[in-house]
């Protein structure tokens, strides 16, 4: 068993799918549109874990934002301002997810290049003055009056689909550096260049992890992958060291108390929130740090409010729920591979990498294990684009799971 097979199999503990030949799989795909779609044919663990994270996110966004909404004239002093917007975004995301669930995975594969090209165009539009909206020195959003679209969030799913399609098309060239690795690396670097122009270093890290993680699982030469990791580490170090504000963040992360009112302000207050929470928290709504002490309490540092109000038990609940979602994503991907549905399998595993890496970085930042970086907690933090992208990704994952079950049933009949 190869290293990548062990890596993928580590997350897979579901019932084994019946192996099918590629011709049988293609015949079964043709029958998918005629099969009734029912919730009983979907993964209950994935559904309940994702639903719990979404619902807990609604509660914690309201709890963490109520004071800020009451005291800000831009929110018209309405305590439910962020709650209402978050619920609206969630409903839009669930509606979009329900629509995407009706789209066969084969259609997504045919549209992979188009979806990726649309994402690149949106990233280019963000950089155009008066089109892209600038907030706190970063130009990451396209304004639509009532809401802002953050293309980098949608690009994460676009990269997962494109990288999976690329890997399937290039399966025979995965051992070649020039034909297998280099083309996708060039595309990812171009996307990274656009993201760093915004700048959005966090999204660049996540997108890079998705693309090269899919390459690894798709069979890229291990030596090439090892070289890639080494180059990536050196590249990220240079990006941090050559950028003064990134360098200050890293130095502040190493000792936030040295400048607790400056570059270590966010992290120091996040650590205070974790300390106050102890085992069971101070109680829902009882956070002090959310009272204008902890910046971005309802977005990047939502977990710190969870820690303060719900304690160690609340944080561990969130960690376990994310672990279930990631494990189910890898399990669904492995099942798709076992029935020769390789594109779907790589997309599922790419979504698992996306949610796993981004949630790990966000949690690490909140706990002081990683330098401060502007990444939201998937499925939970306030943010329309992120919530929309997460709901659509879950819908794609559920569609893959549903097709796996139909393909398996077709092979047994």
């Amino acid at each position: 068993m190869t290293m990548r097979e062990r890596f993928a199999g580590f997350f897979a503990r579901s019932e084994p799918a019946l192996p099918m030949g590629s011709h049988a799989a293609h015949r079964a795909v043709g029958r998918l549109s005629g099969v009734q779609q029912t919730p009983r044919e979907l993964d209950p663990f994935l559904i309940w874990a994702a639903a719990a994270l979404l619902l807990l996110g609604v509660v914690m966004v309201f709890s963490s934002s109520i004071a800020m909404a009451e005291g800000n004239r831009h929110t018209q002093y309405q305590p439910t301002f962020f709650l209402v917007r978050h619920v609206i975004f969630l409903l839009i995301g669930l509606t979009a997810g329900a629509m995407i669930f009706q789209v066969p995975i084969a259609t997504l594969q045919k549209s992979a290049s188009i979806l990726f090209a649309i994402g690149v165009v949106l990233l280019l539009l963000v950089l155009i003055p008066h089109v892209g909206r600038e907030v706190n020195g970063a130009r990451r959003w396209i304004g639509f009056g009532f809401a802002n679209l953050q293309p980098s969030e949608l690009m994460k799913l676009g990269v997962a689909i494109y990288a999976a399609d690329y890997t399937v098309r290039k399966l025979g060239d995965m051992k070649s550096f020039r034909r297998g690795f280099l083309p996708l690396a060039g595309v990812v670097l171009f996307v990274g260049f656009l993201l760093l122009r915004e700048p959005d270093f966090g999204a660049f890290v996540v997108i890079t992890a998705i693309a090269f993680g899919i390459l690894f699982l798709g069979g890229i030469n291990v030596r090439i992958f090892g070289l890639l990791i080494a180059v990536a580490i050196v590249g990220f170090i240079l990006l941090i060291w050559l950028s003064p504000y990134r360098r200050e963040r890293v130095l502040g992360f190493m000792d936030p108390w040295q400048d607790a009112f400056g570059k270590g302000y966010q992290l120091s207050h996040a650590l205070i929130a974790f300390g106050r929470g102890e085992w069971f928290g101070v109680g829902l709504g009882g956070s002090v740090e959310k009272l204008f002490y902890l910046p971005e309490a309802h977005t990047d540092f939502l977990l710190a409010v969870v820690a303060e109000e719900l304690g160690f038990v609340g944080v561990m609940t969130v960690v376990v729920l994310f672990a279930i979602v990631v494990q189910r994503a890898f399990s669904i991907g492995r099942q798709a591979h076992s029935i020769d549905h390789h594109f779907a399998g790589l997309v599922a595993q790419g979504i698992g990498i996306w949610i796993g890496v981004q949630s790990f970085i966000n949690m690490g930042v909140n706990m002081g294990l990683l330098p401060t970086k502007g990444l939201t907690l998937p499925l939970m933090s306030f943010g329309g684009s992120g919530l929309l992208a997460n709901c659509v990704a879950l819908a794609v994952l559920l569609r893959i799971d549903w097709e796996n079950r139909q393909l398996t049933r077709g092979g047994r009949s």
Side-chain angles (χ1 to χ4, degrees):
M1 181 179 290
T2 65
M3 182 169 63
R4 64 176 54 85
E5 288 172 339
R6 292 179 180 177
F7 176 75
F10 176 79
F11 294 92
R13 296 176 55 191
S14 64
E15 67 283 356
L18 181 68
M20 297 173 56
S22 59
H23 294 293
H26 286 304
R27 289 197 299 270
V29 169
R31 298 195 297 267
L32 291 180
S33 59
V35 181
Q36 184 179 2
Q37 300 169 8
T38 64
R40 290 174 296 177
E41 296 179 336
L42 298 175
D43 190 321
F45 293 102
L46 175 60
I47 292 175
W48 285 110
L53 288 170
L54 289 170
L55 292 176
L56 183 59
V58 172
V59 174
M60 295 313 302
V61 163
F62 181 44
S63 177
S64 61
S65 65
I66 184 171
M68 183 172 61
E70 280 184 330
N72 194 327
R73 63 182 179 85
H74 296 294
T75 62
Q76 293 131 12
Y77 305 103
Q78 297 177 2
T80 59
F81 178 83
F82 292 103
L83 171 65
V84 171
R85 290 173 69 86
H86 187 76
V87 171
I88 291 174
F89 291 143
L90 178 58
L91 292 175
I92 293 174
L94 292 175
T95 302
M99 296 171 62
I100 292 297
F101 181 78
Q102 308 302 320
V103 179
I105 298 302
T107 302
L108 285 182
Q109 184 174 7
K110 293 176 182 177
S111 308
S113 298
I114 297 175
L115 295 174
F116 182 79
I118 292 174
V120 171
V121 170
L122 291 175
L123 289 178
L124 288 170
L125 289 176
V126 167
L127 301 178
I128 300 176
H130 308 298
V131 176
R133 184 184 175 192
E134 185 172 340
V135 178
N136 297 328
R139 191 187 299 273
R140 303 175 184 173
W141 300 268
I142 299 176
F144 289 97
F146 65 93
N148 296 314
L149 176 67
Q150 189 172 357
S152 60
E153 292 292 340
L154 303 179
M155 194 61 175
K156 294 169 186 174
L157 180 59
V159 165
I161 294 173
Y162 179 79
D165 175 60
Y166 174 88
T167 302
V168 170
R169 286 188 287 106
K170 296 280 189 175
L171 278 178
D173 297 322
M174 282 294 102
K175 305 300 181 182
S176 170
F177 177 81
R178 182 175 61 86
R179 296 189 305 274
F181 167 73
L182 205 56
L184 183 61
V187 170
V188 172
L189 288 176
F190 176 68
V191 172
F193 171 76
L194 297 179
L195 290 171
L196 293 177
R197 292 285 297 172
E198 296 183 4
D200 194 346
F201 185 70
F204 177 43
V205 172
V206 174
I207 285 175
T208 301
I210 294 170
F212 295 139
I214 289 176
L215 269 183
F216 173 72
L217 294 172
I220 193 172
N221 184 285
V222 175
R223 292 183 180 178
I224 296 176
F225 189 78
L227 177 62
L228 165 66
I229 295 298
V231 172
I233 292 174
V234 173
F236 284 135
I237 291 175
L238 289 175
L239 285 173
I240 292 171
W241 190 255
L242 296 177
S243 174
Y245 85 93
R246 293 193 192 106
R247 187 168 64 247
E248 288 178 5
R249 281 191 172 187
V250 172
L251 296 176
F253 142 77
M254 296 175 68
D255 186 7
W257 307 108
Q258 184 178 10
D259 188 10
F261 294 99
K263 56 189 177 184
Y265 182 80
Q266 289 177 304
L267 179 54
S268 61
H269 281 279
L271 294 176
I272 291 172
F274 271 86
R276 291 192 74 244
E278 298 185 349
W279 285 98
F280 300 102
V282 298
L284 187 62
S287 169
V288 172
E289 287 301 316
K290 69 184 181 184
L291 304 178
F292 301 99
Y293 292 106
L294 182 62
E296 308 298 336
H298 61 310
T299 55
D300 300 347
F301 285 90
L302 185 69
L303 188 69
V305 180
V306 173
E308 187 176 4
E309 296 189 350
L310 304 182
F312 175 80
V313 173
V315 173
M316 283 307 301
T317 300
V318 172
V319 172
V320 169
L321 289 173
F322 273 111
I324 292 173
V325 172
V326 174
Q327 187 273 330
R328 299 314 299 165
F330 272 84
S331 177
I332 291 169
R334 183 171 180 267
Q335 191 175 22
H337 285 302
S338 71
I339 55 178
D340 295 332
H341 209 185
H342 297 299
F343 169 77
L346 290 174
V347 171
Q349 291 168 337
I351 292 173
I353 293 172
W354 166 13
I355 295 176
V357 169
Q358 183 164 334
S359 59
F360 175 79
I361 293 175
N362 179 274
M363 292 175 186
V365 167
N366 275 255
M367 297 178 189
L369 302 176
L370 295 172
T372 303
K373 180 42 44 208
L375 275 177
T376 57
L377 189 61
L379 302 171
M380 290 186 64
S381 291
F382 177 83
S385 299
L387 202 55
L388 172 63
N390 295 156
C391 289
V392 171
L394 284 175
V396 172
L397 194 55
L398 288 169
R399 176 72 192 196
I400 294 171
D401 177 51
W402 180 81
E403 290 193 8
N404 286 347
R405 296 168 190 262
Q406 305 311 314
L407 288 168
T408 302
R409 180 180 303 170
R412 289 173 179 166
S413 60

